[in-house]
Amino acid sequence: QVQLVESGGGLVQAGGSLRLSCLVSGISFSINAMGWYRQAPGKQRELVATISNAGTTNYPDSVKGRFTISRDNAKNTMYLQMHSLKPEDTAVYYCNAYIKIPWRDWNDYWGQGTQVTVSS
């Protein structure tokens, strides 16, 4: 069994910064690509950033230049550094990872999410 737990969310003013973390834990597993997604009330879930096992990153235009995704493979941890936050960034942020555990196929795993609220 594998668990993904996000942390670091909270309330910040527009223009502020937050750093989110995602810790993957379990008995035995392998991780490939990872990513951050977000969902605001009444809106579709959207991709925020992805990072490959080798560290290649991708961002949509909405966050490019403001957010930075990174990972520490030795700690099984992924991060999202957010700067110049806008009210439009308010959402629940979810950690996602492509993971294989013994006796099971590769699958997408999700955390429970952490709330980010940006006030104006």
Side-chain angles (χ1 to χ4, degrees), residues 27-83:
I27 303 299
S28 181
F29 56 87
S30 298
I31 308 175
N32 201 282
M34 305 182 76
W36 289 97
Y37 293 75
R38 67 186 182 187
Q39 187 167 21
K43 295 185 177 181
Q44 292 280 102
R45 181 193 67 180
E46 66 174 342
L47 179 68
V48 176
T50 62
I51 184 166
S52 73
N53 212 16
T56 301
T57 60
N58 284 285
Y59 307 89
D61 290 340
S62 59
V63 308
K64 194 171 298 180
R66 299 188 298 120
F67 292 7
T68 302
I69 187 173
S70 62
R71 64 192 289 174
D72 185 335
N73 291 333
K75 296 181 178 180
N76 293 320
T77 302
M78 177 178 63
Y79 307 95
L80 184 68
Q81 181 66 59
M82 304 184 291
H83 294 297

Side-chain angles (χ1 to χ4, degrees), residues 101-116:
I101 64 176
W103 314 112
R104 296 191 177 190
D105 295 329
W106 288 91
N107 283 115
D108 280 311
Y109 288 78
W110 296 87
Q112 290 295 107
T114 185
Q115 177 71 48
V116 172

